[in-house]
Amino acid sequence: MKALRSKSTLILTGLVIAAALFGAASMVWFNVTVPNPVQDIQVSVRGTEASPAVPALSLVAAAAFLALSIAGRVLRWVVAVVIPLAAAGVLFSVISAVSDPQRATETAVGDSAGVVGTEVVPDQSLWPWVALVLAVLLLLIGLWSLLVLPRWSAGGATKYRRERETTAQPTSAASGVHDPDAARRDGIDAWDAFSDGEDPTGR
């Protein structure tokens, strides 16, 4: 759990899930047998055909994760909202294809077999369920990114400021750079000592 709070780990995990989701969409989701008087026609329907929104939205999520790594503090929130929205769109699209496979395969069957409106029962593969699981994971990591986003902004700025202050002090002291404020304070102390009747040069 602590590792997922890391910006780099979360972004890398999101990119892997989005890439896996795109890969699942390129696989065969349905196998359809179209009856024909001469010989039945076998049509393989990929996820990109049955549910075109899945590969498109997975690319959107991947682009959002990449933008999240370089976006500013304000723009980061806008980009982070895109991820769960894209995941929700993927989830809806996959569920629609699984719940009504005949409608999801109708266009692909018509283009391949030249038959439209034929009652067929598509044979569903395992890949739509893989895409469904990946969509849920993408949604969860998108919501998680919204929760840990404030830690990135505050933590990163504080750490950078602390490191800069720590390194700046020894550097200026070691390099012997003239400090005008220190010289001014020494001059004031010397003038006060002279006013009190002391000789500041004898110190």
Side-chain angles (χ1 to χ4, degrees), residues 78-101:
V78 179
V79 175
V81 172
V82 173
I83 299 173
L85 291 178
V90 171
L91 198 59
F92 175 79
S93 183
V94 174
I95 292 176
S96 299
V98 171
S99 60
D100 192 358

Side-chain angles (χ1 to χ4, degrees), residues 12-171:
L12 181 61
T13 304
L15 287 173
V16 170
I17 294 175
L21 187 57
F22 185 86
S26 65
M27 306 304 290
V28 175
W29 284 20
F30 303 100
N31 290 299
V32 183
T33 301
V34 181
N36 188 278
V38 179
Q39 185 180 3
D40 291 345
I41 302 174
Q42 303 293 330
V43 179
S44 296
V45 182
R46 299 182 180 274
T48 53
E49 299 171 308
S51 184
V54 174
L57 290 175
S58 63
L59 288 178
V60 170
F65 276 113
L66 289 175
L68 201 60
S69 63
I70 59 175
R73 186 172 299 183
V74 177
L75 185 60
R76 193 178 294 170
W77 284 99
V78 179
V79 175
V81 172
V82 173
I83 299 173
L85 291 178
V90 171
L91 198 59
F92 175 79
S93 183
V94 174
I95 292 176
S96 299
V98 171
S99 60
D100 192 358
Q102 185 172 352
R103 182 179 179 182
T105 58
E106 183 178 7
T107 301
V109 170
D111 293 340
S112 299
V115 179
V116 179
T118 304
E119 292 292 334
V120 293
V121 180
D123 184 18
Q124 183 174 297
S125 68
L126 186 64
W127 288 107
W129 301 109
V130 174
L132 186 65
V133 173
L134 291 173
V136 172
L137 292 177
L138 187 64
L139 178 62
L140 291 177
I141 199 169
L143 295 175
W144 178 251
S145 66
L146 289 174
L147 293 177
V148 300
L149 199 59
R151 298 175 182 269
W152 296 351
S153 301
T158 303
K159 181 180 178 181
Y160 174 75
R161 184 168 57 251
R162 185 167 57 248
E163 290 178 352
R164 184 176 59 183
E165 292 175 353
T166 303
T167 56
Q169 292 177 357
T171 302

